[in-house]
Amino acid sequence: MSLLKKVFLVDLFQGLWVTFRNQHPKHLVTEQYPAERPMVAERYRGAPRLNINPENGETLCIACNLCALACPETLIVVTSERNEQTKRKELTTFTYDTSRCMFCGLCEDACPVDALELTQDFELASYTREGQIWDRQMLEEGPRPTPYKC
Amino acid sequence: MTPDATFLDSTELVLNMGPQHPSTHGVLRVILKLDGEKVLGTDCVLGYLHRGVEKIAENRTWAQFNPYVDRMDYVAAISNGLGYCLAVEKLLNLEVPGRAQAVRVILTELNRIGSHLLWLGTHALDIGAITPVFYCFREREATLNIFEKYCGARLTTHAFRVGGLQYETYEGFEKEVNEFCDMFLPKVDEYEELLTGNRIWIGRLKDVGILTGEECKEYGVTGPVLRAAGVKWDLRKAQPYSGYEKYEFDIPTCQNGDTYDRYMVRMQEMRQSVRIIRQAVASIPEGPIMGKAPKVIKPPVGEAYVSIEAPKGELGYYVVSDGSTQPYRVRVRPPSFINLQALDRMIAGGLVADVVAIIGTLDIVLGEVDR
Ligand code: SF4
Ligand code: SF4
């Protein structure tokens, strides 16, 4: 560095100029999160959902248990009952413990009928630990807010 | 103070730095032995973030363990995933289709840029330059958005599967990656404008924490730390994997092996990554994205070791199969853990303020050190 450059603090002003250039309002990048909800990507792996047939409200799940087997954390529990008339397995309960889930998507990939899906919903907070365990109704309809107890 | 200490000389002072210290980049506890402001020696205490990942592997199937590797070096989750997938593929003797390889290269290089950006921002913050961290995170956000659109997660991505890819690229993937490259190169110049010539930056980094090439080899230090000491060693060139032999790029090196040189090497590496990404995007072949991977992965009895050039150095996976659906053993050679060994050598004789600079320049991630 030459002496003149040193005396006139050229290197410092050079850096300050970069800062100054970035002051322009068009460079604003902060997301105003709770006020404005960000759009997450289409493939986002967030809250789970058990899809139902929109026409008759029946679940798409065929109770094959593949998702429970694929999950590394074994946090999915599927129970089923054999229907005596149709001789087919029918889903009775489905629990999904979101507190242990790492949203890896392996269960979603394993499902042969696309019944289980990870959706774009990312607000999964709950006041209680029990509120993190989603049952079948919650998985089909979306989360219910849990009341706060201390 | 012991009674015989006189007014002029001081006794050795032992000081704990961490585990909750912002500039140890996680939960690292460094026991400093000080003589006044001078550091006589250091001791690292590890294990605050130990989760037993290698043991977890033995209780999971081969496919199920894949998301866990993302949680070691969570800043460069995609590189970790690539290393593990390559190791299992080697065990299975599986060919990965060209399209999958190209997409893998693009994503890992984007991840390298993201990792270096996070390093640059936090390192500058440690040294006392607040501004770069905002700019770095702004650009890193762009890479994270690409990951989010590609695989649905931003940090612990689980982007690759054994045998290839789970997800096809999304519409506009090439365009978005190219736009990122065009946007990013001027930004690197901008960071350099802020830091490279800055007298405080130079004063704090030059001749601090020197590690020569010979010492690097003795300690087994790899990655940018090794290259800053003048050793031209990059696994992407030395033993190309995932089609890196097809792309043209240089290995940036420096001579002095001090903290400033490591900064320069990483800045150059980001530019080289952009170069690789550009070539890879221009030549993504058509075709399938998944090789002939069996539904249930059951490798034959045997073992395999694959190492890749992660942003922090050589990341190795040693996998042993006993012929069942679960790994018999998965051993990880994490770059951060081995680079951290050199800390004591680099600090010896330095000042307390240099400790922060040296921990920063090693670019460690405690998730990977403790596993
Ligand atoms: S996303 Fe992963 S961890 Fe969560 S339930 Fe599915 S398979 Fe299990
Ligand atoms: S894999 Fe799909 S169909 Fe089978 S039990 Fe799970 S959600 Fe139901």
Side-chain angles (χ1 to χ4, degrees):
Chain A
M1 226 187 308
S2 75
L3 187 67
L4 272 182
K5 269 191 174 170
K6 223 171 188 168
V7 171
F8 289 109
L9 301 172
V10 171
D11 50 327
L12 297 185
F13 283 115
Q14 205 182 8
L16 278 176
W17 173 235
V18 174
T19 312
F20 186 74
R21 274 206 316 256
N22 278 284
Q23 297 301 313
H24 196 281
K26 79 167 195 257
H27 293 303
L28 277 183
V29 287
T30 312
E31 280 179 13
Q32 307 295 333
Y33 164 52
E36 279 170 42
R37 224 160 167 279
M39 268 299 291
V40 293
E42 205 182 313
R43 293 178 185 174
Y44 191 80
R45 300 198 300 253
R49 182 178 66 203
L50 200 58
N51 289 333
I52 51 172
N53 187 336
E55 275 153 29
N56 51 17
E58 277 174 25
T59 180
L60 290 179
C61 173
I62 52 169
C64 65
N65 207 32
L66 283 179
C67 52
L69 292 174
C71 176
E73 290 289 329
T74 52
L75 55 85
I76 301 176
V77 179
V78 183
T79 59
S80 60
E81 215 172 43
R82 192 166 290 279
N83 188 328
E84 284 308 323
Q85 277 137 31
T86 55
K87 298 275 181 257
R88 283 168 71 187
K89 266 210 254 173
E90 272 177 13
L91 183 72
T92 45
T93 64
F94 195 107
T95 52
Y96 187 111
D97 183 353
T98 53
S99 66
R100 276 161 53 211
C101 181
M102 52 184 173
F103 303 100
C104 62
L106 281 172
C107 51
E108 187 184 35
D109 298 345
C111 185
V113 290
D114 291 337
L116 187 63
E117 217 180 290
L118 298 178
T119 61
Q120 284 165 301
D121 189 4
F122 53 85
E123 285 157 335
L124 294 160
S126 156
Y127 283 115
T128 57
R129 269 173 194 265
E130 293 75 44
Q132 295 281 340
I133 302 173
W134 291 24
D135 57 14
R136 181 176 165 189
Q137 193 193 355
M138 201 146 139
L139 284 164
E140 285 174 354
E141 294 165 4
R144 299 179 293 265
T146 28
Y148 176 68
K149 358 180 242 279
C150 50
Chain B
M1 204 179 270
T2 45
D4 50 51
T6 61
F7 176 66
L8 281 176
D9 57 35
S10 56
T11 46
E12 188 181 289
L13 177 73
V14 177
L15 188 74
N16 268 315
M17 188 169 148
Q20 291 106 348
H21 190 283
S23 60
T24 54
H25 297 248
V27 279
L28 171 69
R29 176 170 151 218
V30 187
I31 302 170
L32 300 172
K33 297 187 191 73
L34 304 177
D35 173 16
E37 186 75 358
K38 243 173 73 193
V39 182
L40 299 176
T42 56
D43 252 329
C44 288
V45 183
L46 309 177
Y48 290 95
L49 207 58
H50 179 67
R51 292 150 296 174
V53 172
E54 291 173 6
K55 192 69 193 168
I56 289 175
E58 293 164 22
N59 300 308
R60 299 285 184 273
T61 64
W62 291 94
Q64 279 179 345
F65 181 58
N66 205 343
Y68 290 89
V69 296
D70 293 352
R71 282 147 182 87
M72 282 188 277
D73 181 359
Y74 39 78
V75 181
I78 293 190
S79 292
N80 279 262
L82 177 65
Y84 176 70
C85 286
L86 287 176
V88 181
E89 279 152 16
K90 189 171 171 189
L91 206 54
L92 285 165
N93 211 353
L94 200 68
E95 188 74 33
V96 179
R99 184 174 176 81
Q101 285 192 347
V103 174
R104 279 178 173 189
V105 167
I106 296 168
L107 292 174
T108 11
E109 288 306 316
L110 279 173
N111 204 188
R112 183 184 313 275
I113 292 176
S115 168
H116 281 358
L117 281 176
L118 189 119
W119 162 82
L120 177 66
T122 50
H123 185 46
L125 199 64
D126 291 344
I127 304 295
I130 312 274
T131 323
V133 71
F134 302 126
Y135 299 161
C136 290
F137 269 71
R138 184 183 62 195
E139 270 73 77
R140 180 166 172 265
E141 187 71 18
T143 67
L144 295 184
N145 281 338
I146 294 175
F147 301 156
E148 183 185 325
K149 282 193 188 156
Y150 172 71
C151 64
R154 294 158 60 83
L155 200 66
T156 45
T157 46
H158 192 208
F160 307 142
R161 302 293 195 276
V162 174
L165 307 169
Q166 172 69 26
Y167 310 99
E168 186 46 91
T169 56
Y170 59 91
E171 207 178 305
F173 173 74
E174 287 94 342
K175 187 164 159 277
E176 198 168 330
V177 173
N178 272 328
E179 273 171 8
F180 170 77
C181 292
D182 295 340
M183 178 275 285
F184 183 63
L185 279 184
K187 300 284 182 198
V188 184
D189 299 336
E190 204 165 80
Y191 311 142
E192 289 229 48
E193 227 173 288
L194 277 173
L195 295 170
T196 305
N198 186 297
R199 67 186 66 187
I200 306 168
W201 186 251
I202 295 173
R204 284 294 305 276
L205 298 192
K206 270 256 186 243
D207 298 328
V208 168
I210 294 179
L211 202 65
T212 63
E214 280 310 310
E215 282 167 336
C216 283
K217 285 180 199 162
E218 271 169 35
Y219 281 107
V221 167
T222 45
V225 185
L226 177 68
R227 290 191 283 276
V231 183
K232 220 177 168 112
W233 177 255
D234 188 319
L235 286 171
R236 289 174 292 175
K237 279 261 196 250
Q239 1 172 313
Y241 52 89
S242 196
Y244 267 107
E245 66 277 3
K246 286 190 292 228
Y247 311 114
E248 240 177 71
F249 61 99
D250 303 325
I251 308 173
T253 52
C254 280
Q255 290 313 316
N256 302 332
D258 60 2
T259 305
Y260 189 77
D261 277 2
R262 287 187 276 272
Y263 155 74
M264 290 310 270
V265 164
R266 289 199 176 98
M267 297 309 272
Q268 287 305 325
E269 261 178 31
M270 288 199 260
R271 295 201 173 95
Q272 294 300 330
S273 288
V274 169
R275 228 173 117 190
I276 299 174
I277 293 170
R278 282 229 172 99
Q279 293 170 39
V281 170
S283 64
I284 303 182
E286 291 294 322
I289 51 167
M290 198 67 182
K292 291 192 188 66
K295 262 232 139 57
V296 178
I297 300 169
K298 217 170 163 182
V301 181
E303 52 187 51
Y305 178 76
V306 169
S307 54
I308 65 164
E309 187 72 32
K312 296 171 178 69
E314 178 185 340
L315 171 71
Y317 280 92
Y318 175 62
V319 288
V320 185
S321 165
D322 59 356
S324 71
T325 53
Q326 296 183 336
Y328 179 73
R329 177 89 169 92
V330 174
R331 156 84 187 144
V332 190
R333 183 229 187 261
S336 303
F337 177 61
I338 288 159
N339 289 2
L340 186 61
Q341 288 182 93
L343 182 72
D344 187 50
R345 171 72 200 76
M346 288 159 85
I347 286 178
L351 304 176
V352 177
D354 296 339
V355 177
V356 172
I358 292 169
I359 294 176
T361 190
L362 278 173
D363 193 15
I364 49 165
V365 163
L366 266 294
E368 194 178 45
V369 174
D370 294 342
R371 276 164 293 142

